[in-house]
Amino acid sequence: MLESAPSATPVTFPSPFLWGAATSAYQIEGAVREGGRTPSIWDTFSHTPGKTVGGEHGDIAVDHYHRYREDVALMADLGLGAYRFSVSWPRVQPTGRGPAVQVGLDFYRRLVDELLAHGIKPAITLYHWDLPQELEDAGGWPERDTAYRFAEYAQIVGEALGDRVEQWITLNEPWCSAFLGYGSGVHAPGRTDPEATLRAAHHLNLAHGLGTSALRSVMPARNSVAISLNSSVVRPLSPQDPADLAAARRIDDLANGVFHGPMLHGAYPESLFAATELITDWSYVLDGDLQAIHQPLDALGLNYYTPTLVSAADPAQTGPRSDGHGASDHSPWPGADDVAFHQTPGERTEMGWTIDPTGLHELIMRYAREAPGLPLYITENGAAYDDKPDPDGRVHDPERIAYLHGHLSAVRRAITDGANVRGYYLWSLLDNFEWAYGYEKRFGAVYVDYASLARTPKSSAHWYGQAARTGTLPAVPVD
């Protein structure tokens, strides 16, 4: 199902509504060897031949570490009200153990102070995939101890910044950390072990619960603690076919239930256990774990890009798996080899992802039902396009404007339908290092010339800034 053309009726958001943009540390900071920072799994992975496009890495990225004042000034000029960024774990707590390095914390103190001085609300994500390499060497997320190390790290950052930062997110997209990092291997650390994938998922859940408790033990009660999930909108190819419906349920458990089950409801889906019983006995779920994970959330972050279309697999058909998560001979879906993935119809972004704002509306309404009344934030939504400056140096990206108009309109419809959506963070503020895709895919509202690192707001940045200042979506320009 595709989004209809933008309505001529202005789309206005209720006030207050938080208009922000998002980034992550490894994708933008650079300065990987400064201030005592030690390697993360993404430093190691990106420097391993064949793991990223062109062997590209985040050693410099877009040099936000040295240019943060310029980037904050850009946000202020655009009229943004909030900025979601992640803290680099190995910059703050090198090797993932022991005391904090104050020079690392000082960078984030300066960034927070700069944001507040410009009237921009900071929102901190504690973990956006940059596990200290020494913790991976000790077993990484499949090992229980990593969850306890994360809680210690969370307390360190909460003590340092909890007096000035009110919005906190424990983990970003734990599905990617577990299923792409330890299942398909297309993300760091690049392992391909189905059981380790599920162990990692559980210990990421435990890290969230323990980290939430650690934050609340050192921060003012007014602060909000959330998590950002890239929950999939899973649709059966044939809604009337019981086999396709069963395939969709299998993927929904692996993409969604494995996280929101224990977080929101205090239990894993029994159907998940049944589907993976040949892979793991789940004996690493110890007494007390589910209670530790099932902490009351102050908000929930939802990241959305495109829906997922599945069916029961045809045993006669072979070929690459088109699940939108990168090419690998290993599946990120343990226990689901009998599920086939299909390209959804419609226009696509440079990532090959179908543009379908109805999926965002569907996702929001699902969580409005899963957790009635819980404040929701769209903590990532955006699109990659092949942006290029024109001869005058301007960057026009009408496709991204149309994408944003469609998805923000879907958010507004969800609010009308009763969902408690409090804000939206555009992904991303800046063109940046796009993980295994290197610098090939541009998601930014601000164009970055990777040779000079000069920043140029694209036309979508100005469009979004006007929406942020007025609370009303500007018209989509006719190109």
Side-chain angles (χ1 to χ4, degrees):
M1 182 185 298
L2 301 180
E3 180 72 359
S4 59
S7 168
T9 304
V11 178
T12 298
F13 282 72
S15 183
F17 186 84
L18 202 58
W19 298 84
T23 63
S24 85
Y26 189 72
Q27 292 181 273
I28 67 166
E29 282 183 3
V32 297
R33 297 175 187 87
E34 294 190 34
R37 182 189 180 279
T38 55
S40 74
I41 56 175
W42 268 98
D43 293 275
T44 302
F45 186 83
S46 63
H47 281 273
T48 302
K51 296 297 186 182
T52 66
V53 169
E56 292 171 334
H57 48 70
D59 285 10
I60 298 174
V62 297
D63 200 30
H64 175 74
Y65 184 84
H66 298 108
R67 298 168 181 257
Y68 71 92
R69 289 189 176 89
E70 175 187 353
D71 293 337
V72 172
L74 266 175
M75 293 181 236
D77 288 345
L78 293 172
L80 301 188
Y83 175 51
R84 176 186 170 228
F85 62 93
S86 76
V87 172
S88 168
W89 189 345
R91 190 178 299 286
V92 164
Q93 193 189 31
T95 77
R97 301 178 187 275
V101 170
Q102 291 304 313
V103 68
L105 280 173
D106 284 346
F107 167 70
Y108 297 106
R109 291 184 177 108
R110 293 193 301 272
L111 174 58
V112 166
D113 289 346
E114 192 77 9
L115 290 164
L116 293 174
H118 284 81
I120 299 170
K121 292 183 178 180
I124 284 180
T125 301
L126 286 171
Y127 185 72
H128 200 130
W129 308 350
D130 49 357
L131 185 71
Q133 181 61 45
E134 291 204 11
L135 293 186
E136 173 58 26
D137 293 342
W141 286 113
E143 294 299 319
R144 186 178 187 85
D145 186 63
T146 307
Y148 294 105
R149 301 284 68 76
F150 176 79
E152 180 182 75
Y153 157 67
Q155 182 170 329
I156 286 170
V157 183
E159 286 177 333
L161 297 171
D163 61 330
R164 284 163 290 170
V165 179
E166 295 185 3
Q167 285 198 315
W168 292 75
I169 294 165
T170 53
L171 310 174
N172 179 76
E173 299 185 346
W175 186 88
C176 293
S177 297
F179 290 77
L180 301 182
Y182 295 91
S184 65
V186 299
H187 277 196
R191 289 161 61 181
T192 54
D193 180 340
E195 187 193 20
T197 298
L198 297 170
R199 291 174 65 94
H202 176 65
H203 294 136
L204 283 154
N205 283 334
L206 184 59
H208 160 74
L210 297 175
T212 296
S213 296
L215 286 173
R216 287 180 173 149
S217 73
V218 296
M219 297 196 312
R222 69 174 184 273
N223 288 2
S224 168
V225 181
I227 186 167
S228 285
L229 300 177
N230 60 319
S231 296
S232 294
V233 176
V234 185
R235 295 168 174 168
L237 183 64
S238 174
Q240 290 76 40
D241 186 336
D244 287 3
L245 289 168
R249 174 60 187 269
R250 183 88 55 86
I251 297 305
D252 188 76
D253 282 346
L254 289 166
N256 303 326
V258 67
F259 296 110
H260 77 224
M263 289 179 188
L264 298 180
H265 308 303
Y268 287 103
E270 288 297 325
S271 51
L272 173 67
F273 291 153
T276 58
E277 62 183 358
L278 297 180
I279 297 170
T280 180
D281 62 5
W282 292 86
S283 58
Y284 40 85
V285 181
L286 304 185
D287 288 347
D289 281 6
L290 291 172
Q291 292 90 330
I293 296 166
H294 188 209
Q295 299 293 319
L297 288 170
D298 298 306
L300 178 63
L302 299 175
N303 297 355
Y304 172 82
Y305 293 94
T306 193
T308 299
L309 187 64
V310 301
S311 71
D314 181 348
Q317 290 186 344
T318 59
R321 185 189 62 257
S322 301
D323 64 2
H325 294 294
S328 173
D329 293 333
H330 302 271
S331 173
W333 306 102
D337 290 342
D338 57 348
V339 175
F341 291 82
H342 303 269
Q343 288 275 11
T344 51
E347 294 183 16
R348 306 186 192 287
T349 69
E350 282 292 307
M351 295 295 289
W353 297 342
T354 303
I355 302 166
D356 188 348
T358 68
L360 180 54
H361 179 270
E362 184 178 333
L363 180 68
I364 294 169
M365 298 314 298
R366 174 181 186 166
Y367 282 97
R369 295 188 299 270
E370 291 271 356
L374 183 67
L376 303 175
Y377 290 85
I378 308 308
T379 42
E380 284 187 27
N381 177 238
Y385 288 105
D386 186 19
D387 304 312
K388 292 182 173 65
D390 67 14
D392 295 324
R394 296 173 297 186
V395 183
H396 296 288
D397 56 343
E399 302 93 346
R400 185 173 287 105
I401 292 174
Y403 180 100
L404 294 176
H405 191 285
H407 286 77
L408 281 161
S409 296
V411 173
R412 183 64 181 93
R413 286 197 307 279
I415 294 171
T416 300
D417 292 341
N420 186 17
V421 186
R422 301 283 187 87
Y424 176 97
Y425 290 87
L426 167 66
W427 185 269
S428 176
L429 175 69
L430 302 160
D431 289 337
N432 56 39
F433 176 75
E434 189 50 41
W435 307 114
Y437 294 97
Y439 295 92
E440 187 179 70
K441 308 297 185 185
R442 292 181 178 268
F443 276 88
V446 175
Y447 181 87
V448 178
D449 180 316
Y450 293 127
S452 68
L453 297 177
R455 276 82 157 136
T456 303
K458 304 172 189 178
S459 53
S460 63
H462 297 294
W463 183 94
Y464 184 67
Q466 184 178 342
R469 288 189 296 271
T470 64
T472 299
L473 302 186
V476 176
V478 177
D479 191 30

